[in-house]
Amino acid sequence: DTEVTQTPKHLVMGMTNKKSLKCEQHMGHRAMYWYKQKAKKPPELMFVYSYEKLSINESVPSRFSPECPNSSLLNLHLHALQPEDSALYLCASSSPGQIYEQYFGPGTRLTVT
Amino acid sequence: SQQGEEDPQALSIQEGENATMNCSYKTSINNLQWYRQNSGRGLVHLILIRSNEREKHSGRLRVTLDTSKKSSSLLITASRAADTASYFCATDAGNYGQNFVFGPGTRLSVLP
């Protein structure tokens, strides 16, 4: 199984809502990532988890809160988002070695109204 | 922050022609990778080239890396309509490969 799944596929939320994005992989990967991608732009790294511990946080606003409950699951909790946070949120996983490739999920299209 | 810069930003070719995309970067790297993204979907890994390699092939793909010029190129031969997508280079500058930076990407259109 070389698939990374993400739910939901689409999410519309108001600025006062609390929602969560979910990501799951069963490839035995021990590194998982969240990226944010705006239209016609490259993905921008938000968070990296290695062995279920947050190892990189690219100065992301606190209204985004990541969580890695176990080695297969990655969540992104959203609270009090702004319209400019509307984007495609991508999850990826990889082996946490020195040379690796990342496997991406299909993304969650988030719209903040 | 963006490290890689792709050139051209957009490329339109006829089916059967070759497509070449270039990527430049600024700092030392551990390896460089190319990914493809179909419209609004996840990225798919295409090929990885290590910093001590100069050229690599995979099917219709050929990647070169020139670390002295801090640049890489991706060649897709005998293009097909299904190759229409955005192509991104991604540089890995170390930290056990947990610090990926994508270039701005090239949007390739292959016309039937």
Side-chain angles (χ1 to χ4, degrees), chain A residues 31 33 35 37 40-43 45 48 50 55-56 58 88 90 96-102 104-106 109, chain B residues 2 30-31 33 35 37 40-45 48 50 88 92 95-100 102-105 107:
Chain A
Y33 312 77
Y35 288 88
Q37 186 179 26
K40 297 185 178 180
K41 296 291 185 181
L45 184 65
V48 180
S50 179
S55 61
I56 292 178
E58 294 284 337
L88 181 67
L90 295 162
Q98 275 197 302
I99 304 287
Y100 66 99
E101 63 187 79
Q102 293 191 14
F104 281 81
R109 176 73 60 189
Chain B
Q2 293 185 21
N30 187 314
N31 65 84
Q33 303 183 28
Y35 287 79
Q37 184 178 34
R41 303 298 291 168
L43 283 77
V44 174
H45 179 266
L48 179 154
R50 301 175 187 226
F88 295 94
D92 170 14
N95 193 20
Y96 280 85
Q98 293 180 2
N99 201 348
F100 246 39
F102 283 90
R107 293 190 304 280

Side-chain angles (χ1 to χ4, degrees), chain A residues 1-15:
Chain A
D1 183 3
T2 58
E3 188 179 18
V4 176
T5 59
Q6 289 187 243
T7 56
K9 290 185 179 179
H10 301 275
L11 178 62
V12 179
M13 60 185 291
M15 289 188 285

Side-chain angles (χ1 to χ4, degrees), chain A residues 65-84:
Chain A
S65 175
E67 178 195 19
C68 191
N70 59 55
S71 60
S72 299
L73 293 174
L74 186 66
N75 298 321
L76 186 63
H77 303 297
L78 314 172
H79 174 55
L81 294 193
Q82 303 297 310
E84 59 264 28

Side-chain angles (χ1 to χ4, degrees), chain B:
Chain B
S1 61
Q2 293 185 21
Q3 153 126 286
E5 297 289 333
E6 262 108 334
D7 168 41
Q9 291 187 342
L11 180 61
S12 185
I13 60 173
Q14 295 292 132
E15 215 168 16
E17 294 180 339
N18 295 341
T20 300
M21 290 161 268
N22 302 299
C23 170
S24 61
Y25 57 92
K26 298 174 182 175
T27 65
S28 296
I29 61 171
N30 187 314
N31 65 84
L32 184 145
Q33 303 183 28
W34 287 88
Y35 287 79
R36 183 187 75 223
Q37 184 178 34
N38 291 89
S39 182
R41 303 298 291 168
L43 283 77
V44 174
H45 179 266
L46 296 176
I47 196 165
L48 179 154
I49 187 164
R50 301 175 187 226
S51 59
N52 62 354
E53 296 176 315
R54 292 297 167 258
E55 187 172 316
K56 206 160 184 182
H57 297 255
S58 177
R60 294 184 296 114
L61 306 179
R62 172 178 170 256
V63 171
T64 62
L65 179 64
D66 187 335
T67 52
S68 66
K69 294 181 179 179
K70 292 186 169 59
S71 67
S72 172
S73 68
L74 172 67
L75 168 67
I76 303 174
T77 60
S79 63
R80 307 165 182 168
D83 294 328
T84 295
S86 290
Y87 291 82
F88 295 94
C89 70
T91 54
D92 170 14
N95 193 20
Y96 280 85
Q98 293 180 2
N99 201 348
F100 246 39
V101 179
F102 283 90
T106 293
R107 293 190 304 280
L108 175 65
S109 297
V110 181
L111 307 175

Side-chain angles (χ1 to χ4, degrees), chain A residues 7-59:
Chain A
T7 56
K9 290 185 179 179
H10 301 275
L11 178 62
V12 179
M13 60 185 291
M15 289 188 285
T16 58
N17 291 158
K18 286 185 180 180
K19 296 287 185 183
S20 297
L21 309 184
K22 298 184 183 300
C23 174
E24 189 168 6
Q25 58 88 15
H26 295 287
M27 294 177 279
H29 289 165
R30 302 307 296 273
M32 297 187 76
Y33 312 77
W34 279 116
Y35 288 88
K36 174 183 177 181
Q37 186 179 26
K38 302 284 275 185
K40 297 185 178 180
K41 296 291 185 181
E44 294 183 356
L45 184 65
M46 298 175 73
F47 302 104
V48 180
Y49 274 86
S50 179
Y51 293 94
E52 295 91 69
K53 291 186 179 178
L54 185 64
S55 61
I56 292 178
N57 175 349
E58 294 284 337
S59 301

